[in-house]
């Protein structure tokens, strides 16, 4: 280390120490713990104990299935919605753009518990506004919390509500970086607005959309708050239990840290794998 | 092929009027250049012809048909943008063919047109590259190619060369000229560079603050500008304007005194207007129209301040009282013995302007 840099590193030391103790160490430690049997004291080293259990555990596969199901439905729907919202926000016809931008971004700022509580109220069987609306257009009430399919749908709706605007703002930034004269050239080329969207806007937004998709995939892999608070710990009967919830249940309810660590590493590994596949599928030619 | 006619064309952004009633007849196959300082409304006028801006007043006709309410794509025009406006995610070939493909043009015809444009512009080798992988000059060619492919009746160029370096600019200028000969279509070209205007145009339209100042062939504008603005704008380096006062007038001439040059006098024959004695005027003399002492009609002594030697000629920035004059001189290899020298002005090589800038003939 050059002397010149030494002072800088001394200033950084407090941060680096905290980073090492509370970030690096837990990451290494949990990896080691995942190879230990932690149901009995003292913990003992048993490499296949947790990982072996994982492979045959129906609860794990249920959580994995739920997480992936939410992933493949909710992420594309949300990103599509975000693109539509961004295009509308970018329209020169829109008045009070700042207000809409704030409104779209607001859900991210709202506390998780508060928004979950509001969603439980809105979707409640007898008093919820959603069921009232369904009734008023002649549709039957839906019991959102006691059946698996509506409960899953509810989770997806909630997550989409919370994050679509956030993604729309990011996509809007991408939209604004496309120069106007490209569209003017297309207009002179007699390309309709719709074709311009599909042949110019979407391809040029691809990097931004991929970025949003990666963020969303990582977020959804760790999904916890909504199934914990809205559908009450993954209810009905584990029907909306996600990997994040399973981890919580194993680690903090059963205090089975070894198994929880194994689940945590599986989640991270899956997120990385899916992201890599996605980046590879959408890579720039050449 | 088509003529373009502008009748009292007005453009307002909100309540702010930027083009104040432009009138212009562009003949079929003519090369017309709009020139003027930044912000004078050149681009706006061109974009109105293209249909990218609404026309607030007046009429634009292309090929005899009023196009005020015609979609841009139906006007038979093609435009080359200053920033090229290529589709960044498409190869050169896709850039050229995009418009035709989107409109279901027969494949064979599209290929033929793309091939022809590529040949005209020598970009065959670049067809599979993306805009990012091209140099500025190559991008410019592709942008022009995209216009050619449309086989338009009128080409519109908005400062197409301003992002290129000086050498490439000259080269592309020649190519655009050649293209005009080859295709024989009407071209309207916007630039703020008077050299480009002079070299390319059949006719130049000089604009200033939304008004058409003068329309004419390049040399007509050079020889016979209608006002001080055009006189100053056309020609490089700029024309010198020397303060003068009318001291004598007859029915065929006026004698002016160059007030900052020790009472030097010049007799300027006139045929239209005869300013009264005492009127303050401006005498315009181009740098290249100063002669050796005694050769002209009026000698003035000057003192060289700075000289720019370009090889064949030198431009001397001379102090002459409170006025600075730019004088073109034959380049001399040996150092002049003194900074002081005398130049001479010829009456027929100078122009007279009144105080508002209008020409006195
Ligand atoms: N969309 C717009 N809204 C309001 N004013 C505008 C708009 N576009 C142009 N203007 C104004 O119109 C005037 C003419 O602009 P224009 O772009 O035609 O100038 P220009 O002659 O092309 O200049 P340059 O040589 O810098 O390109 C300017 O004063 C400009 O500020
Ligand atoms: Mg312009």
């Amino acid at each position: 280390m050059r002397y010149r840099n030494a002072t800088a590193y001394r200033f950084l030391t407090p941060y680096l120490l905290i980073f090492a103790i509370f970030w690096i160490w837990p990451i290494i430690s949990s990896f080691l713990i995942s190879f230990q049997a932690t149901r009995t004291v003292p913990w003992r080293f048993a490499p296949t104990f947790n990982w072996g259990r994982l492979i045959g555990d129906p609860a794990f596969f249920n959580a994995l299935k739920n997480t992936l199901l939410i992933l493949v439905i909710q992420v594309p729907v949300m990103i599509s919605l975000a693109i539509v919202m961004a295009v509308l926000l970018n329209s020169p016809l829109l008045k009070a753009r700042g207000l809409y931008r704030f409104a779209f971004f607001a859900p991210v700022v709202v506390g998780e518990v508060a928004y979950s509580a509001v969603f439980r109220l809105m979707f409640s069987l007898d008093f919820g506004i959603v069921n009232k609306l369904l009734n008023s257009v002649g549709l039957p009430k839906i019991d959102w919390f006691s059946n698996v399919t509506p409960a899953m749908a509810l989770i997806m709706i909630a997550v989409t509500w919370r994050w679509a605007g956030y993604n729309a703002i990011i996509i809007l930034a991408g939209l604004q970086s496309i120069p106007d004269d490209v569209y003017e050239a297309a207009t002179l080329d007699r390309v309709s607005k719709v074709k311009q969207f599909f042949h110019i806007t979407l391809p040029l937004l691809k990097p931004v959309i991929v970025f949003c998709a990666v963020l969303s995939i990582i977020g959804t892999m760790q999904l916890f708050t909504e199934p914990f608070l809205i559908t009450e710990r993954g209810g009905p009967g584990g029907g909306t239990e996600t990997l994040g919830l399973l981890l919580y249940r194993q680690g903090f309810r059963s205090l089975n840290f070894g198994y929880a660590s194994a689940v945590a590493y599986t989640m991270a590994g899956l997120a990385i794998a899916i992201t890599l596949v996605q980046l590879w599928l959408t890579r720039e030619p050449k | 092929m088509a003529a373009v006619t502008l009748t009292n064309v007005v453009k307002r952004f909100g309540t702010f009027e930027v083009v104040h009633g432009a009138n212009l007849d562009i003949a079929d196959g003519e090369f017309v250049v709009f020139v003027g300082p930044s912000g004078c409304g050149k681009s706006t006028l061109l974009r109105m012809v293209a249909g990218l801006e609404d026309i607030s007043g007046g009429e634009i006709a292309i090929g005899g048909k009023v196009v005020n309410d015609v979609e841009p794509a139906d006007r038979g025009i093609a435009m080359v943008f200053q920033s090229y406006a290529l589709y960044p995610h498409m190869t050169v070939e896709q850039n050229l063919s995009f418009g035709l493909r989107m409109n279901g043009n027969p494949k064979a015809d599209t290929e033929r047109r793309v091939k022809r444009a590529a040949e005209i512009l020598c970009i065959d080798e670049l067809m599979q590259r993306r805009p990012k992988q091209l140099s500025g000059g190559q991008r410019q060619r592709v942008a022009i190619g995209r216009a050619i492919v449309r086989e338009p009746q009128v080409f519109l160029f908005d400062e197409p060369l301003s992002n290129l370096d000086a050498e490439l600019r000259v080269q592309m200028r020649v190519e655009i000229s050649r293209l005009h000969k080859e295709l024989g279509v009407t071209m309207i070209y916007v630039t703020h560079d008077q050299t480009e205007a002079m070299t390319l145009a059949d006719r130049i339209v000089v604009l200033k603050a939304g008004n058409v100042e003068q329309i004419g062939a390049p040399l007509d504008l050079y020889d016979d500008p209608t006002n001080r603005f055009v006189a100053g704008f056309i020609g490089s380096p700029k024309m010198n304007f020397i303060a003068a006062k009318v001291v004598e007038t007859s029915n065929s001439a006026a004698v002016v005194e160059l007030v900052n040059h020790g009472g030097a006098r010049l007799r300027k024959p006139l045929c239209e207007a005869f300013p009264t004695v005492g009127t303050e005027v401006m005498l315009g003399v181009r740098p290249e129209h100063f002669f050796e002492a005694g050769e002209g009609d009026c000698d003035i002594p000057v003192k060289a301040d700075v000289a720019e030697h370009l090889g064949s000629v030198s431009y001397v920035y001379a102090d002459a009282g409170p006025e600075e004059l730019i004088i073109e001189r034959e380049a001399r290899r040996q150092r002049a013995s003194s900074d002081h020298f005398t130049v001479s002005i010829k009456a027929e090589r100078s122009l007279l302007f009144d105080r508002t800038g209008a020409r006195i003939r």
Side-chain angles (χ1 to χ4, degrees):
Chain A
M1 196 196 324
R2 299 261 298 276
Y3 177 73
R4 227 150 58 88
N5 297 340
T7 313
Y9 277 103
R10 279 205 288 274
F11 273 111
L12 283 173
T13 308
Y15 169 73
L16 290 178
L17 270 179
I18 291 171
F19 182 73
I21 294 171
F22 291 102
W23 274 91
I24 312 248
W25 173 241
I27 289 172
I28 297 169
S29 166
S30 61
F31 186 65
L32 297 177
I33 291 175
S34 77
F35 292 105
Q36 298 179 31
T38 55
R39 299 303 297 268
T40 50
V41 191
W43 294 357
R44 66 188 161 80
F45 181 72
T48 57
F49 188 81
N50 295 315
W51 291 99
R53 174 175 168 194
L54 191 81
I55 292 166
D57 185 1
F60 169 75
F61 280 101
N62 174 52
L64 181 65
K65 185 202 80 196
N66 288 340
T67 306
L68 292 181
L69 198 64
I70 293 173
L71 189 89
V72 297
I73 298 175
Q74 185 264 329
V75 173
V77 167
M78 178 184 68
I79 300 277
S80 310
L81 202 63
I83 294 171
V84 172
M85 285 159 79
V87 168
L88 293 181
L89 263 184
N90 200 32
S91 157
L93 302 175
L94 187 72
K95 303 267 186 290
R97 180 159 323 174
L99 195 68
Y100 283 97
R101 228 173 355 217
F102 170 74
F104 282 6
F105 203 76
V108 182
V109 189
V110 175
E112 293 174 317
V113 177
Y115 118 84
S116 300
V118 171
F119 260 79
R120 281 189 63 86
L121 266 178
M122 282 171 48
F123 285 81
S124 108
L125 179 60
D126 292 320
F127 316 110
I129 186 163
V130 175
N131 277 348
K132 289 228 165 80
L133 285 177
L134 286 179
N135 256 346
S136 73
V137 295
L139 292 171
K141 280 198 228 174
I142 297 176
D143 192 349
W144 295 93
F145 300 99
S146 333
N147 298 307
V148 174
T149 311
M152 281 291 266
L154 175 53
I155 297 286
M156 293 180 202
I157 292 170
V159 177
T160 303
W161 177 82
R162 190 166 160 83
W163 294 104
Y166 174 84
N167 286 293
I169 299 291
I170 297 176
I171 293 170
L172 177 65
L175 270 182
Q176 286 172 341
S177 74
I178 303 176
D180 287 340
D181 53 15
V182 172
Y183 292 109
E184 288 179 348
T187 305
L188 293 182
D189 271 343
R190 201 193 304 275
V191 180
S192 66
K193 287 266 180 271
V194 175
K195 282 184 176 168
Q196 286 180 21
F197 177 78
F198 284 106
H199 289 95
I200 297 174
T201 309
L202 272 191
L204 290 181
L205 279 183
K206 202 173 90 179
V208 180
I209 293 173
V210 170
F211 173 75
C212 285
V214 167
L215 281 190
S216 306
I217 288 169
I218 293 172
T220 306
M221 284 308 293
Q222 301 175 349
L223 192 63
F224 174 78
T225 311
E226 286 80 3
F228 186 76
L229 291 175
I230 298 181
T231 54
E232 282 188 292
R233 310 195 175 179
T240 59
E241 185 171 73
T242 57
L243 287 174
L245 264 184
L246 175 70
L247 184 158
Y248 167 80
R249 198 153 58 84
Q250 287 298 328
F252 298 94
R253 312 290 307 176
S254 318
L255 301 182
N256 186 357
F257 292 112
Y259 193 49
S261 299
V263 172
Y265 265 86
T266 313
M267 282 163 64
L270 275 174
I272 292 170
I274 295 173
T275 301
L276 287 180
V277 167
Q278 211 232 343
L279 288 177
W280 183 76
L281 284 176
T282 55
R283 71 200 180 281
E284 286 295 317
K286 263 202 290 190
Chain B
M1 260 146 261
V4 178
T5 314
L6 278 64
T7 319
N8 285 322
V9 171
V10 173
K11 177 67 192 179
R12 277 182 294 265
F13 289 108
T15 54
F16 180 54
E17 191 168 296
V18 296
V19 176
H20 319 287
N23 286 294
L24 181 61
D25 270 308
I26 301 173
D28 181 18
E30 198 175 15
F31 198 125
V32 167
V33 175
F34 293 172
V35 69
S38 193
C40 68
K42 310 178 292 285
S43 299
T44 306
L45 210 49
L46 193 75
R47 290 166 56 81
M48 280 195 280
V49 176
L52 296 172
E53 299 283 358
D54 293 335
I55 302 164
S56 313
E59 261 179 20
I60 295 180
I62 298 176
K65 188 172 151 239
V66 175
V67 293
N68 284 36
D69 297 318
V70 176
E71 288 296 313
D74 297 327
R75 296 189 180 195
I77 52 103
M79 183 154 167
V80 177
F81 295 82
Q82 175 174 359
S83 58
Y84 316 135
L86 299 177
Y87 308 121
H89 56 297
M90 298 184 200
T91 63
V92 169
E93 185 169 16
Q94 290 165 336
N95 259 286
L96 295 184
S97 61
F98 182 60
L100 295 173
R101 278 187 285 124
M102 286 296 113
N103 289 294
N105 196 55
K107 204 159 174 248
D109 182 58
T110 303
E111 273 168 21
R112 177 189 64 78
R113 292 201 204 183
V114 169
K115 193 155 168 287
R116 172 163 164 269
E119 272 164 16
I120 293 177
L121 295 163
C122 309
I123 48 174
D124 313 80
E125 321 244 292
L126 309 174
M127 293 312 264
Q128 296 315 319
R129 297 216 204 149
R130 275 162 215 278
K132 241 189 294 188
Q133 303 162 313
L134 300 176
S135 72
Q138 290 168 334
R139 279 180 214 180
Q140 186 58 71
R141 276 168 212 270
V142 177
I144 295 175
R146 195 172 58 181
I148 292 177
V149 165
R150 300 199 57 211
E151 301 187 345
Q153 301 180 308
V154 182
F155 273 83
L156 308 175
F157 295 90
D158 192 356
E159 308 207 20
L161 308 185
S162 55
N163 290 339
L164 303 180
D165 65 42
E167 196 179 332
L168 207 53
R169 208 149 49 204
V170 174
Q171 189 188 331
M172 287 303 294
R173 209 162 72 196
V174 174
E175 268 183 56
I176 290 177
S177 228
R178 204 196 67 208
L179 191 70
H180 178 238
K181 278 212 191 70
E182 222 166 288
L183 302 176
V185 297
T186 313
M187 290 189 174
I188 308 179
Y189 186 105
V190 164
T191 178
H192 59 251
D193 176 0
Q194 62 90 29
T195 319
E196 244 167 61
M198 294 292 281
T199 49
L200 284 170
D202 293 328
R203 273 196 307 159
I204 295 177
V205 178
V206 183
L207 293 162
K208 180 189 164 198
N211 288 308
V212 174
E213 296 285 308
Q214 191 173 0
I215 304 173
L219 293 183
D220 290 344
L221 295 192
Y222 177 86
D223 291 334
D224 194 16
T226 60
N227 57 38
R228 189 178 156 177
F229 175 78
V230 176
F233 199 82
I234 302 291
S236 166
K238 263 171 85 116
M239 180 181 273
N240 297 290
F241 294 100
I242 305 168
K245 202 158 92 185
V246 178
V247 289
E248 224 183 286
T249 168
S250 70
N251 58 5
S252 64
V255 176
V256 296
E257 184 181 287
L258 309 183
V259 289
N260 294 319
H261 301 279
R265 290 185 172 201
L266 176 74
R267 186 172 181 281
K268 175 81 182 148
L270 295 173
C271 56
E272 283 177 8
F274 301 95
T276 52
V277 170
T279 315
E280 285 177 19
V281 292
M282 281 282 175
L283 189 70
V285 184
R286 294 195 183 277
E288 54 272 37
H289 293 156
F290 285 103
F291 298 88
E292 296 295 320
E295 287 180 8
D297 305 315
C298 164
D299 286 1
I300 52 176
V302 294
K303 176 177 168 292
D305 185 11
V306 180
E308 291 176 344
H309 302 289
L310 302 185
S312 61
V313 296
S314 300
Y315 292 110
V316 178
Y317 292 77
D319 272 337
E323 284 164 347
E324 189 185 62
L325 299 179
I326 307 174
I327 300 165
E328 182 183 311
R329 307 199 85 195
E330 199 181 311
R332 285 159 210 219
R333 294 300 184 261
Q334 68 273 42
R335 289 277 300 263
S337 52
S338 151
D339 288 344
H340 292 271
F341 61 101
T342 301
V343 292
S344 184
I345 299 169
K346 280 187 186 169
E348 81 258 24
R349 286 305 205 176
S350 61
L351 306 169
L352 215 53
F353 301 94
D354 69 16
R355 280 181 55 190
T356 63
R359 178 85 180 278
I360 306 173
R361 294 173 206 264

